[in-house]
Amino acid sequence: MLMIISVRRLDNGRIEIGVARPQHDSNPAHNYSSDKEVRAVLSHFGNERRETSHLKLLAKMGAREQLRFSPIYVPQNDLLSRGFRL
C-alpha cells in the first residue's frame, strides 16, 4: 500500500508514528517511548535511509511538531504486524 508516514514528539515525551493512505481519512497512529523503538518500526517499513536524518531532526523539535515522509510503498502485512489497522 502507498503510505504517508509521519513522526512527531508528543507533550509527554513519547514519539508517535502515524500512517495514512493518500486521499483517505484513516490515520492510525501508535506511540513509543524511545527513539530505538521508532527506528525499529521505520526500518521494518523499509524507511531505513530516511529515518536516521528525520530522527535527528525529531530530537531538535518541540512537542506537537510533525515530520512527514514522502509516500512510500509498505506491504499491508508489515503494517498489520506492527498493529496499524487500516
Side-chain angles (χ1 to χ4, degrees):
M1 301 178 111
L2 189 61
M3 303 301 298
I4 298 170
I5 299 171
S6 61
V7 179
R8 69 182 180 131
R9 187 170 302 282
L10 303 174
D11 288 331
N12 62 5
R14 294 180 65 87
I15 303 167
E16 180 182 80
I17 296 178
V19 296
R21 293 186 339 197
Q23 301 178 354
H24 286 82
D25 293 333
S26 176
N27 188 14
H30 290 280
N31 58 63
Y32 303 91
S33 60
S34 72
D35 290 352
K36 186 178 180 180
E37 289 177 290
V38 171
R39 280 190 183 99
V41 172
L42 294 177
S43 292
H44 190 78
F45 290 164
N47 232 2
E48 299 171 60
R49 284 183 250 153
R50 292 184 282 180
E51 68 153 80
T52 302
S53 61
H54 277 68
L55 287 176
K56 287 179 185 175
L57 289 173
L58 183 66
K60 297 176 184 179
M61 293 172 49
R64 299 188 199 142
E65 292 182 301
Q66 184 177 46
L67 296 171
R68 296 184 104 186
F69 293 88
S70 12
I72 182 173
Y73 178 80
V74 180
Q76 188 170 8
N77 292 349
D78 290 349
L79 292 166
L80 294 173
S81 73
R82 293 294 178 164
F84 292 94
R85 308 247 183 262
L86 298 174

